[in-house]
Amino acid sequence: YVSAEEDGALNVFDLESKKLLKAVPIGKEPEGVVTSPDGTRVYVTSEVANMVHVIDTANYQILKNIVVGKRPRRFAFSADGSELWVTNELGASVSVISTKDLAVTATVAFEVKGMRADDISPVGIERSRDGKRMYVALGKANHVAFVDVATRKVEQLVLVGKRAWGVGQNRDGSKLFVVNGLSDDMTIVDTAAAKALKTVPVGRVPYMVLVDD
C-alpha cells in the first residue's frame, strides 16, 4: 500500500507482478500508512483534510473518515491493537483512535516550557517494547515526549537536536534513536533514565531511522 500525495490516493500494488491493482481516492497529501495487525484494514492520514481514512483490504472501500487534529502524519498501535495513535504536526497533539469504534477517544496535547504551540510539531511516534509508553518526536520543539499509554500523561520531555523528526528503538527498547532534521544529527536516548546519552552527526536533513539490532 503506497500513498500518492499528488493524486490524493492510496495505491494498491500486486507485489509479484508489480502492477497497480487499485487507486483508492482519499484526502489530499496522504502520508502515514499502516495496516491493522490482522491485515483487514489500512489506515491513511490526509494532511490537508485533517482525517484518517480507514480502508477495508477485502474490497478497498472506505469504511470511515475520522477527523483528527491538524495535519496528521504518523501512526502507532497500542500493544493490544485496540488503539491507534496519530501525530498531528500542526495541532501540537496526538489523537487516540479506538479501532473498534473508529472514533477519536482522547487527545494528548503537548506543552514545552518557553515555546508556543506553533513551535511544537509532533511527527515521529514509536511504541515502547513493553507497550506502556509512546515516544513522540516533537519536531521544532527539539524534544521527545514520553507518554504513558494508560493515563495519556506526558511523563518526561527529553531535549534532543533541532527538529526531532523520526524515532526508532533497539530490540530490547533500552535505547531510542532520534533523527534531527535541522542539526543533521541523531540523538541516542536512554529510555529507562529518560536521558540523552550522545548526539552523533549523520547526513543532511535526516528524516527517518531504521534500527537493525
Side-chain angles (χ1 to χ4, degrees):
Y1 302 101
V2 181
S3 61
E5 291 206 5
E6 291 184 2
D7 299 331
L10 176 73
N11 291 333
V12 183
F13 289 90
D14 182 287
L15 294 180
E16 290 188 4
S17 66
K18 299 180 176 60
K19 291 183 178 179
L20 178 66
L21 299 178
K22 180 81 173 181
V24 184
I26 53 177
K28 294 292 185 180
E29 295 190 26
E31 176 170 316
V33 181
V34 69
T35 305
S36 63
D38 63 5
T40 62
R41 295 172 177 171
V42 173
Y43 298 84
V44 189
T45 59
S46 168
E47 298 176 11
V48 172
N50 300 328
M51 286 182 177
V52 170
H53 306 284
V54 188
I55 299 167
D56 189 322
T57 59
N59 54 23
Y60 309 126
Q61 298 297 308
I62 294 178
L63 297 173
K64 188 78 176 287
N65 296 315
I66 306 170
V67 177
V68 290
K70 193 173 182 180
R71 196 173 172 86
R73 298 293 298 271
R74 306 272 180 83
F75 294 113
F77 282 102
S78 62
D80 63 1
S82 66
E83 294 178 352
L84 182 61
W85 291 47
V86 54
T87 54
N88 303 311
E89 183 185 6
L90 299 185
S93 65
V94 166
S95 297
V96 181
I97 295 171
S98 165
T99 56
K100 177 183 177 182
D101 301 327
L102 297 182
V104 174
T105 57
T107 300
V108 180
F110 298 105
E111 296 180 355
V112 178
K113 188 176 181 179
M115 291 190 173
R116 300 171 301 177
D118 290 348
D119 295 323
I120 303 171
S121 48
V123 173
I125 185 169
E126 179 99 352
R127 186 187 73 232
S128 67
R129 298 299 186 206
D130 62 9
K132 295 180 179 179
R133 290 173 172 167
M134 290 288 181
Y135 304 116
V136 184
L138 299 184
K140 293 182 292 183
N142 305 335
H143 283 76
V144 172
F146 286 38
V147 184
D148 184 277
V149 170
T151 65
R152 326 275 201 224
K153 301 295 184 184
V154 177
E155 296 178 323
Q156 303 282 347
L157 288 171
V158 180
L159 180 64
V160 289
K162 294 181 180 179
R163 203 194 73 173
W165 225 232
V167 291
Q169 59 189 310
N170 61 349
R171 189 165 298 178
D172 66 8
S174 62
K175 302 290 189 300
L176 188 70
F177 301 88
V178 186
V179 289
N180 308 304
L182 292 184
S183 50
D184 299 339
D185 52 28
M186 178 178 72
T187 302
I188 303 167
V189 177
D190 182 314
T191 56
K195 180 180 179 181
L197 299 175
K198 187 178 183 179
T199 296
V200 295
V202 294
R204 293 184 61 194
V205 197
Y207 182 68
M208 297 182 71
V209 57
L210 178 65
V211 182
D212 182 10
D213 183 346

